[in-house]
Amino acid sequence: MGRNRRLKKRLWRLRSNPLRRHDDIVEAWIVLVMWTVVLVGGALSGLVTFHAADEVFSAQRTERHSVQAVLLADTPSPSSTVGGARDLIKAEVRWTTADGTRRTGSTLVETGKKAGSKVVVWVNAAGNLTYEPPSRTDATLESAVLGLIATVAFTGLAIGTGAAARYRLDQRRIDSWDTEWKLVGPSWGRKTS
């Protein structure tokens, strides 16, 4: 018996009440649908985004590979930086593709290298220069962050839509109260001046 009372108390908006208006039921359904969409839709959007990003990063790791390239010109000496950060500069390099074709292009290399030095560059399946793909750990972390961003964005959109619907419902209630007040107000006896 006590369990039924608790359930009834939790579902207070849906129970019969002479003061309950139709708008109260509509608002209860809006809130219920909004939170269902937030929980289910937010989780789904996060998971879908995570898996899509993870597939893209996996495809990048499969397609891209590193090759040895030769630096064509000297790079300036490194500037003194605090914290030991690497100085990178854009420089011309030459590499050989898998089919034996020699190519030339510019990419970021460390400063302080002499012409003819060997550098590692990343190329795609077509043999064009590209960036190093993220490692499996970095890709998982970035996919998780993108999934979290998608979840937060979807949740914000759902809550904003629910808030807009409830705002419109409140405006409708205020208009209804105004109409009722105009009908009832004059029938009251005396008015203050």
Side-chain angles (χ1 to χ4, degrees):
M1 185 76 174
R3 184 174 169 173
N4 286 340
R5 281 187 188 166
R6 278 182 278 169
L7 182 62
K8 249 186 168 178
K9 199 171 196 177
R10 287 184 184 170
L11 300 173
W12 67 271
R13 288 185 183 223
L14 301 177
R15 68 181 180 195
S16 181
N17 184 335
L19 299 177
R20 180 187 68 193
R21 299 165 296 202
H22 175 71
D23 289 349
D24 297 331
I25 296 171
V26 171
E27 182 179 19
W29 280 107
I30 288 172
V31 170
L32 179 67
V33 168
M34 179 188 67
W35 282 110
T36 302
V37 167
V38 163
L39 292 175
V40 175
L44 282 176
S45 67
L47 286 173
V48 167
T49 303
F50 173 82
H51 287 297
D54 198 41
E55 285 178 15
V56 168
F57 295 136
S58 179
Q60 287 178 355
R61 282 192 305 275
T62 302
E63 179 189 72
R64 298 176 184 179
H65 61 280
S66 62
V67 295
Q68 289 286 327
V70 177
L71 189 61
L72 297 179
D74 291 347
T75 59
S77 60
S79 62
S80 59
T81 57
V82 179
R86 291 186 335 175
D87 284 336
L88 298 175
I89 190 166
K90 203 163 206 165
E92 290 289 318
V93 295
R94 182 177 56 238
W95 72 97
T96 305
T97 62
D99 65 358
T101 309
R102 286 187 169 212
R103 292 203 178 169
T104 305
S106 65
T107 187
L108 293 175
V109 296
E110 290 183 24
T111 56
K113 298 241 182 208
K114 299 286 181 198
S117 299
K118 301 267 186 201
V119 292
V120 175
V121 295
W122 287 85
V123 295
N124 59 17
N128 299 324
L129 285 175
T130 187
Y131 295 105
E132 179 180 359
S135 67
R136 187 174 300 278
T137 305
D138 290 343
T140 301
L141 180 63
E142 194 168 340
S143 297
V145 168
L146 290 171
L148 181 64
I149 290 170
T151 299
V152 169
F154 186 87
T155 299
L157 180 67
I159 289 175
T161 303
R166 290 180 69 197
Y167 175 78
R168 180 65 189 118
L169 193 61
D170 285 342
Q171 291 298 85
R172 198 169 97 182
R173 284 185 196 142
I174 290 170
D175 292 344
S176 173
W177 290 338
D178 187 44
T179 304
E180 288 176 17
W181 183 254
K182 286 179 183 174
L183 292 173
V184 173
S187 66
W188 288 5
R190 71 185 157 112
K191 296 182 181 180
T192 58
S193 26

